[in-house]
Every structure is written in structure tokens, then in C-alpha cells.
Amino acid sequence: MNAFPKDHQAPTTLDALNAWVAEVARLTQPARIQWCDGSDSEYAELIAEMQADGTLLPLNADTHPGSWLHRSDPEDVARVEHLTFVCTSDRDDAGPNNHWMSPADAHAKMDELFAGCMRGRTLYVVPYCMGPIDSPLARCGVEITDSAYVVANMRIMTRMGAAALARIEREGRLHDSGLHNSVFVRGLHSIGELDPDRRFIMHFPEELAIKSYGSGYGGNALLGKKCHALRIASHQARKEGWLAEHMLIVGIENPQGEIHYIAAAFPSACGKTNLAMLIPPQSYREKGWKVWTVGDDICWMRPGADGRLYAINPEAGFFGVAPGTSAQSNPNALESVQSNTIFTNVGVTDDNQPWWEGLDDRVPAKDWQGRDYDKANGPAAHPNSRFTVSARQCPSYSSHAEDPQGVPISAIVFGGRRASLVPLVFEARDWTHGVLIGASMGSETTAAATGAVGVMRRDPMAMKPFCGYNFADYFAHWLSFDKPGANLPKVFHVNWFRKGDDGKFLWPGFGDNMRVIEWMVGRVKGEVGAVDTLIGALPQAEHVNLDGVELSPEARDKLFGFDPDGWRGEFEDIGTFLSGFGPRMPRALLEEHQSKAAAA
Ligand code: OXD
Ligand code: MN
């Protein structure tokens, strides 16, 4: 029996892709199949269909032309880490940091869910490229989905369509003749019934495959993002000698016109988008400092011929957290989302403009579920409500963001939300120490994933939900970059979220983070001072430009101080955490930690 619906024409000559689409069609039984070419007309048709069936609601076309509101199922509003699995043949390869299922069991479970699930629906075939289409660092995938909303988001978030398909075909032919080591990642997605009890996000890194069922939301459903560009890519990167990281990439231009690129890892909803789009304080702007956005969430990097790490942003858009985004916190993001944006789960004003907590002091008319706004029902915008917008709409988008060879990284920054103990910034002594700092990162949880908010958890390199293999092997992979000929970035740790005894933040954050960045760039150039402490090189208040920032004596103490008693407890906790990974944990990292803990 022909697996394709009647009249179906596959536009590709790549047998492997046709065979997979046929196999999926046989399993899921769609009414029709649409191969997406990424064109404007295709996007317009998708939008029209979604407007007709109520998936997208129009927003005020005068204030927000080309923009739409999507209200998700209220039970489907965030990533579901407890339903996310890494399915490797050997359980230890997934590690204690992942939920695991055997590939055979996982395929059986998922195929049962997928059986017949697209009856009466359209199966969209979405070829995409993660990274600039002509970049040797970029990688391709194909997502099959039955959600038009996912297709529209993938078109904004990735290089989707005909050009990606052409690259997939080229690489497929090279692969078949043994000249290319990777084929496209296969992601199969269905919203199913949006039933939280029939929801799983399964990864098969050894097969470069993803199966996601039962959610239409963000990282669960836009498979190019967390599933491909982090979980599958991290696994692939280990095999091939590169890094796939949960990091923003930002270019800092000094008054001399030199640009230093920084890659920074923070857990979800901890300000990566704000830092990536930072606007320096006026005094900095007057001197000629500029900030250029390359990416706000994911960074793929590999050593170049000169030993430096070169990075690309595999994404083409931002899937940013809306609440808290304002003219004060992130004017560039706000300007980016004035048109051609898909908003998900925000509230609306009475003249149908998108609205979220922290935007301004207007009172919303409807909340994210479409109810008349009533404070008693909670926030108008869901705390994990989002905007999807092309990176090209960002006023600070870097002219080097599409450079095929990537941008050279001068500094890697780790950070999290830490109300106590952790100072504003410190610098690792060397690469191994930097890897230890990344591996021991902790942060209070946010609304980006389901579960309790504000609970401190260890989130190494901000990759806890995203590393597609055993963290012990991941740390070893990080350490392996320190080899002869390497010219690695300096490593820093920042904490914008330190609180005072009154529970208020001690550091103004946002644009003023530029002051910390200036210190880091100064350290990279060997031009500014710090004091050596057990946790690394710590600036004193006089090493950072604080002109115009009012800090209380308590703030100075806590932001620039080192509390040996507190750190003794922290080192103990980190030791317990690291030993949880058992004998696969690299010795060099354990020794690095033990030397610190012993001296504490
Ligand atoms: C994201 C996340 O959407 O980390 O970027 O949850
Ligand atoms: Mn993220």
C-alpha cells in the first residue's frame, strides 16, 4: 500500500528522507502531507488557516502589525522535564542527570501513541538548518509535525524550508558516499490530545532522532531548539570535538572599536535575553561602547585553526520570556516585538495589544486564558508566556551573527540566581577551575519548566535539563579542550541576583551589568586588577566602574566580598553533588574541587 495520501508528491530525491516520511505517514495516517518550503506565501497561508480555526488571534494591527496571539492549552505551558527522556542503549551513557528508557521500550511506547494520531490532520514536513545555511558549524534536521503553530514558530526560529532541504540533500549524498559524518536529525512531533498523561519527549542521540508527543509548547514541540540544538547536538558535539551549550552570545565593542565576544550560560528565565541585548548606561554609550546581539539561548562552538573557540548561534529567532520585558529592562527586545511576532499566553489590553506583568502600568482587559482580567486569578500573562520573533528584528543584531565561521569567544560566563553567598563576579584561575565553576553552578528554579519555583538546584553549565549524555562524560569533554595549541577563553562566574538582609536585590542589573562586563574585558586584556581568593580572582569595588551607582556598605560587602564560612558549606555541598556521578567523574575535576575544599 502506498503510505502517502493520494496526490502526494515528495519534493526530494533523498531516499532516506522519503522513506522516513512514508514510514511516519504509514504510522500516523494523516489526511494530507505538506512539505514546507519556508516561503512568505506558505507562511501567510498557515497564518490564515490558524486565524480561521482560532489557533491564532489577531492583535492590534496598528500598534503590532503582523502579530498574533496564541493561547495554549492551560495544561501545556512549559517544558516538562519529568517527561523528557534520553534513550541510549547503555543507561550509564545518559547518566544520573537524565531520565532514561531503553531505545526499544521508548520507540514502542511512542509508536503506540503516534499510531493513527494524525487522522484528519495535515502532516507537515519541516526541513530546517540550525545555524547560518552556509556555515560548516551548522547542522540540519527535519521535523514532522501536525501543528501549524509549530511550523510557523519553526520558520521564525530556524532557517526553515527549501534552502535547508537543499543542504540536507547535499549532505545526504555525501553521507551515502562516506564523505560526511552526519545525516539530518529526525524529529517526529504530534500534539496528540494535549493530554498531560499522554505526553513524552524522547531523545535517541545514537540515532539522531527525537519523538515528542502530547505538547505543543516551546521546547517540547519546536524540536530544533532544546531537543536538537542542545540534547542531540551535545551528544554529537562530544563525538565530533565541539560544544553545544545553553548560552547567549554577545559582542562587546569598546571605544577603540575592538569587539570581544562573550558566551554566557544561565538557567532558563535568568536574563540571557536581557544580557544578549543589553544597552550600556549613557556614560558608556557616550564613550563609544556598543553591544551586539549574536544569540540569546544557544551557542555551538568549536576550536578554530588559531586555537580559539568560534561560536555560532544555531537559532534564527528569539523565543523569549515576555514577563519582565520592558522599556527599562530590555528596550531592544521590546522594539523587536513591535511587529511580525507570535505571542503565546500573554494578556491583552482593551485595545487588543499584548500585555504582560512588568511591561507598564496599564491594566489588562483579558488574561492569558482569555478570561476578563481579575487579579484574583493570578497574573494576566502566564509567567512562562513568550514571544517568537526573528533575530533580524532586533536593533542590536550583530552584523557578524551570520558569519559562517562564527565569532571568536574571549570569555565564557556562568551564572545563576543566588540570593546569598555568591558575589557579583569572579574569575576562574584556569580552564580546569573554570570547568569546576560551571559544573558546580547553582540556581533557584524559574517558571520555564513545570514544578516548584525558587528552589535552589545544581544546574551545571545551565545544562541540567538539556545535556544529552552523562554529565561526568560532559565535564570530561569540557576538560579535553585544554590541550597544546588551544587558546581558550577566560572563564567567569556572575550573580546578578544577590539579595540584602531586607530581601531586595543589591545590584541594579540590566544595563549596569555593563560595568561587570567592562571589568571582564579588562581582565581578558590583562588591564585591570582583582584579588586572589579561594574561589578565584575577585574584583574589589575600586576595580569596577561604579560611577553613578549607589551601593550601600552592605551591598559593597556582599557583592565584592568572599565569605569563607559560607563557602565551606558550599564546597561541601558541591562535593556531595559531584560524587553523585560516581566513578565516571573525571579525576582532574574531583582533584580541583578537593584542593579548594581542603583549603576552605
Ligand atoms: C528556553 C528555556 O525556552 O530555557 O529557552 O526554557
Ligand atoms: Mn533556554
Side-chain angles (χ1 to χ4, degrees):
M1 188 192 81
N2 185 353
F4 293 122
K6 264 209 312 263
D7 305 330
H8 176 72
Q9 294 275 320
T12 178
T13 52
L14 191 62
D15 292 341
L17 179 51
N18 277 325
W20 176 57
V21 174
E23 182 193 316
V24 170
R26 208 174 291 123
L27 176 67
T28 59
Q29 300 285 308
R32 47 189 294 272
I33 296 180
Q34 181 172 331
W35 290 71
C36 298
D37 61 14
S39 61
D40 290 345
S41 56
E42 174 185 271
Y43 185 71
E45 272 170 39
L46 281 168
I47 295 284
E49 279 166 32
M50 286 191 279
Q51 188 179 2
D53 72 12
T55 305
L56 292 184
L57 305 167
L59 289 164
N60 187 319
D62 295 327
T63 59
H64 291 76
S67 298
W68 302 90
L69 170 65
H70 174 67
R71 294 194 179 118
S72 79
D73 185 292
E75 298 287 322
D76 184 30
V77 292
R79 288 185 291 97
V80 282
E81 294 178 9
H82 60 297
L83 302 174
T84 299
F85 288 71
V86 169
C87 309
T88 43
S89 15
D90 181 343
R91 181 179 198 139
D92 285 344
D93 288 342
N97 45 303
N98 280 302
H99 300 295
W100 177 86
M101 199 179 287
S102 79
D105 287 352
H107 279 304
K109 187 174 199 61
M110 295 308 277
D111 290 353
E112 206 178 303
L113 293 171
F114 277 107
C117 73
M118 295 191 193
R119 276 197 193 101
R121 298 183 186 173
T122 301
L123 178 159
Y124 299 95
V125 184
V126 184
Y128 63 87
C129 180
M130 300 309 293
I133 201 91
D134 53 350
S135 169
L137 283 74
R139 292 304 159 99
C140 292
V142 178
E143 174 164 357
I144 292 180
T145 178
D146 54 9
S147 161
Y149 166 81
V150 165
V151 179
N153 276 270
M154 284 292 284
R155 183 173 185 270
I156 298 173
M157 294 303 297
T158 72
R159 280 87 175 170
M160 182 271 257
L165 182 60
R167 180 168 167 159
I168 290 167
E169 286 171 337
R170 199 171 62 243
E171 289 182 347
R173 283 192 291 273
L174 291 175
H175 180 263
D176 290 347
S177 47
L179 292 171
H180 198 274
N181 60 2
S182 92
V183 282
F184 60 93
V185 169
R186 291 152 208 242
L188 172 55
H189 169 254
S190 171
I191 53 173
E193 309 80 26
L194 294 176
D195 174 355
D197 293 329
R198 285 165 57 82
R199 179 174 295 162
F200 289 101
I201 326 292
M202 300 280 189
H203 302 76
F204 306 88
E206 292 152 353
E207 303 163 40
L208 299 185
I210 304 155
K211 290 185 177 175
S212 165
Y213 189 90
S215 166
Y217 207 86
N220 300 331
L222 313 179
L223 301 187
K225 194 174 180 61
K226 304 302 186 181
C227 300
H228 177 163
L230 289 175
R231 297 194 192 96
I232 299 287
S234 60
H235 191 275
Q236 207 173 19
R238 178 187 175 213
K239 273 198 356 216
E240 298 173 4
W242 48 286
L243 289 164
E245 299 301 324
H246 192 202
M247 293 178 174
L248 67 93
I249 309 167
V250 69
I252 308 296
E253 182 173 335
N254 67 15
Q256 294 76 50
E258 292 166 353
I259 305 182
H260 287 274
Y261 292 93
I262 295 178
F266 301 102
S268 309
C270 286
K272 283 203 299 300
T273 306
N274 291 345
L275 185 56
M277 299 178 188
L278 178 147
I279 294 188
Q282 192 176 346
S283 57
Y284 279 78
R285 295 201 304 271
E286 280 166 3
K287 282 190 222 140
W289 289 87
K290 296 188 181 107
V291 173
W292 301 109
T293 309
V294 178
D296 80 329
D297 194 43
I298 303 181
C299 163
W300 286 356
M301 53 191 164
R302 68 167 60 192
D306 59 0
R308 301 184 74 186
L309 291 181
Y310 283 78
I312 59 163
N313 169 17
E315 300 191 282
F318 307 119
F319 182 66
V321 177
T325 306
S326 71
Q328 287 72 45
S329 68
N330 193 338
N332 280 326
L334 204 58
E335 201 171 321
S336 308
V337 302
Q338 291 311 300
S339 62
N340 309 315
T341 302
I342 298 176
F343 294 91
T344 303
N345 289 346
V346 298
V348 287
T349 58
D350 56 5
D351 63 346
N352 214 21
Q353 296 188 42
W355 191 91
W356 49 83
E357 276 67 20
L359 175 60
D360 52 35
D361 47 20
R362 284 174 297 171
V363 177
K366 301 264 183 220
D367 72 8
W368 63 281
Q369 298 187 64
R371 300 173 298 196
D372 287 344
Y373 174 65
D374 178 352
K375 228 171 38 206
N377 287 332
H382 186 277
N384 192 37
S385 54
R386 301 280 181 146
F387 51 78
T388 319
V389 67
S390 166
R392 293 191 175 172
Q393 291 199 186
C394 179
S396 56
Y397 192 47
S398 164
S399 60
H400 295 288
E402 317 260 341
D403 283 0
Q405 75 282 4
V407 294
I409 298 296
S410 299
I412 287 178
V413 179
F414 295 117
R417 285 179 188 266
R418 294 296 298 265
S420 59
L421 185 68
V422 181
L424 181 62
V425 58
F426 56 95
E427 177 194 323
R429 205 153 296 122
D430 54 25
W431 185 254
T432 304
H433 184 214
V435 175
L436 175 65
I437 288 172
S440 12
M441 249 170 78
S443 193
E444 290 142 22
T445 51
T446 69
T450 53
V453 169
V455 180
M456 161 48 204
R457 73 168 179 180
R458 294 279 158 208
D459 189 351
M461 276 87 168
M463 285 286 278
K464 165 79 187 74
F466 307 122
C467 184
Y469 62 103
N470 192 320
F471 258 152
D473 300 341
Y474 172 76
F475 301 144
H477 181 49
W478 264 83
L479 291 171
S480 75
F481 285 83
D482 190 6
K483 56 183 172 215
N487 183 4
L488 294 168
K490 273 189 177 289
V491 179
F492 298 88
H493 187 283
V494 301
N495 177 24
W496 315 134
F497 300 95
R498 185 82 189 257
K499 288 183 177 167
D501 293 338
D502 60 0
K504 295 205 175 113
F505 292 117
L506 292 172
W507 178 247
F510 305 114
D512 285 308
N513 293 339
M514 188 66 202
R515 301 169 190 281
V516 175
I517 292 174
E518 183 188 16
W519 178 79
M520 292 193 282
V521 171
R523 293 295 291 177
V524 166
K525 296 178 71 174
E527 289 175 354
V528 288
V531 294
D532 272 329
T533 72
L534 196 53
I535 58 171
L538 197 65
Q540 299 303 282
E542 65 267 23
H543 295 127
V544 176
N545 173 9
L546 296 174
D547 288 352
V549 182
E550 290 220 357
L551 294 179
S552 64
E554 183 202 9
R556 280 177 188 254
D557 223 43
K558 290 188 164 150
L559 294 171
F560 299 102
F562 166 62
D563 161 14
D565 291 340
W567 276 93
R568 213 165 291 128
E570 176 79 358
F571 282 131
E572 220 167 278
D573 195 60
I574 291 169
T576 309
F577 174 70
L578 297 180
S579 62
F581 292 94
R584 280 168 92 127
M585 198 64 184
R587 270 188 92 80
L589 202 65
L590 292 175
E591 284 169 10
E592 180 75 21
H593 172 258
Q594 278 149 12
S595 71
K596 301 276 170 315

